[in-house]
Amino acid sequence: MTTFDTDGFLSDEISSWEADFENRYSSKLELSVAVNRLAHKMVYTIDIGSEDLSDLLLSTLLARQLSTFQGFVLLSRRGMIFQAEMLVRALAESMFLVGAICKKPDFAKQWVLGDEVSRKKALVRLNEDRRRRGEAPDETAVALIAELEKRIRDEGIIKPSTEQIAKLAGLESYYDTLYGFFSMAVHSSSRSLDKALQKDSDGKLTHVEYGPEIDGFDMHLDYAISMTLYVLHEIAAHFEKDVSEIEVLQKRNAELSGEAQQSVQSDRCEDAAPD
């Protein structure tokens, strides 16, 4: 049997941590299973025979949201909190897109066309790298860059930012709060790295913490579940599917979130109470 000391998060020993995680967050994990199954049900029942761009994008975004949600649950169960936070951010990005497409049907085409801007930038960077290595620029790429520049200019193509997409979806509060918070894990910010530094009672640094986490997942589970349910609800409504099962799960998630907040407040009161 491999141990965490030799194989880290890939060790057999991690299964004992998973058991602790399951006991700690049993209600949220049960809800996650229900959300996952409902999402699978929708993935296989949506009819995308239409060539409507919004239908195609929403169908693929649903599949992306579902697989990302599953990845989040798997990483969380192993106590990989920073990696799980990266996927919460990815769930938010998909949610913003779904919200924007459902609320502004014309946005689907704008978003797809915006990829031409990214395509041009990628080609420019590739040629710049060739120059740095002393190589001549790729002439095919040069011609394509000129073609893309003309199309972008003539058609007024712009690539909307994540913030702009969130605003179109009416989800700017999510962008201003959780998206920025979870972006710290993605970009290896100094604040997120600082969490790994452990100190003794005198405030002196002792070691870098490396291992499974079990605390602090209440908020992560809450947001991951709520954002996935939002995506399910918006897409179900778009395809004129029944949303009652989704709303039942949304209500349950709200109840569990309230219970978690009460528990945290109770713990804080106990900590503050005099001996």
Side-chain angles (χ1 to χ4, degrees), residues 62-90:
L62 173 60
R64 172 67 65 86
Q65 188 81 354
L66 175 56
S67 59
T68 303
F69 179 70
Q70 292 172 355
F72 162 79
V73 173
L74 290 171
L75 290 174
S76 297
R77 289 166 66 100
R78 287 182 169 249
M80 302 179 73
I81 193 164
F82 292 117
Q83 291 70 30
E85 287 176 354
M86 295 177 190
L87 293 190
V88 174
R89 181 181 185 265

Side-chain angles (χ1 to χ4, degrees), residues 117-264:
V117 176
S118 299
R119 188 180 173 202
K120 189 206 79 172
K121 288 181 178 179
L123 289 169
V124 169
R125 285 194 293 267
L126 286 173
N127 268 345
E128 287 178 348
D129 183 60
R130 291 176 67 92
R131 291 190 185 95
R132 279 193 296 269
R133 291 186 281 112
E135 300 176 7
D138 185 296
E139 293 304 323
T140 301
V142 170
L144 186 52
I145 290 169
E147 180 183 323
L148 288 169
E149 285 179 338
K150 183 177 185 304
R151 186 184 184 195
I152 291 168
R153 181 178 62 253
D154 292 348
E155 298 182 26
I157 297 173
I158 60 172
K159 182 176 178 61
S161 66
T162 302
E163 181 178 9
Q164 291 170 329
I165 296 171
K167 287 182 177 179
L168 282 175
L171 298 169
E172 54 264 48
S173 62
Y174 276 86
Y175 178 85
D176 291 336
T177 54
L178 82 91
Y179 187 79
F181 175 80
F182 289 114
S183 290
M184 290 191 293
V186 175
H187 298 301
S188 298
S189 69
S190 59
R191 184 173 297 178
S192 67
L193 293 175
D194 184 62
K195 294 179 181 178
L197 298 175
Q198 300 302 306
K199 303 175 182 179
D200 60 19
S201 57
D202 296 325
K204 294 182 179 179
L205 296 176
T206 56
H207 65 283
V208 174
E209 185 66 29
Y210 168 66
E213 294 280 349
I214 195 169
D215 294 327
F217 277 94
D218 283 302
M219 179 181 71
H220 299 58
L221 287 161
D222 176 34
Y223 277 129
I225 291 170
S226 64
M227 289 190 294
T228 301
L229 286 172
Y230 172 92
V231 166
L232 292 181
H233 194 283
E234 290 296 299
I235 293 178
H238 175 84
F239 286 100
E240 299 182 345
K241 301 289 185 180
D242 181 28
V243 298
S244 58
E245 289 184 80
I246 301 170
E247 291 176 349
V248 168
L249 296 183
Q250 286 176 322
K251 181 179 179 181
R252 178 57 178 155
N253 191 44
E255 291 171 350
L256 291 175
S257 299
E259 291 172 7
Q261 290 176 2
Q262 290 178 0
S263 176
V264 170

